[in-house]
Amino acid sequence: PTVTNVGNNRGIDIGALNQFLGERNMQISNGYGVFKGKAFRIGHMGEVDDADMARLLTAMDGFLAQQGIGN
């Protein structure tokens, strides 16, 4: 597996999320075609390790908390 596709069932502004992540030197990919805005993709191939994924997910949690979107 090289990528995980995540459904955007919380209505997250993926562009704003990516801007937030970009300020932290991270990036995800928006869905494309009919899935743009409805899903996003997280790449985890190559030299990505567990610590990288934990850093990304922690940053995403921070964004969601800032937006008032919690667990």
Side-chain angles (χ1 to χ4, degrees):
T2 60
V3 93
T4 296
N5 190 57
V6 180
N8 186 12
N9 59 0
R10 294 186 182 189
I12 299 164
D13 180 340
I14 297 171
L17 171 58
N18 229 2
Q19 182 177 358
F20 179 90
L21 293 173
E23 293 167 359
R24 291 151 182 80
N25 298 314
M26 295 178 268
Q27 179 179 346
I28 60 170
S29 296
N30 198 346
Y32 57 89
V34 298
F35 297 106
K36 187 167 186 164
K38 297 178 184 175
F40 58 89
R41 296 166 286 145
I42 300 173
H44 44 75
M45 60 186 263
E47 296 184 22
V48 176
D49 60 23
D50 290 345
D52 296 324
M53 293 304 299
R55 183 173 161 255
L56 173 68
L57 296 174
T58 298
M60 291 175 76
D61 279 344
F63 174 82
L64 294 175
Q66 184 180 45
Q67 299 296 307
I69 305 170
N71 294 338

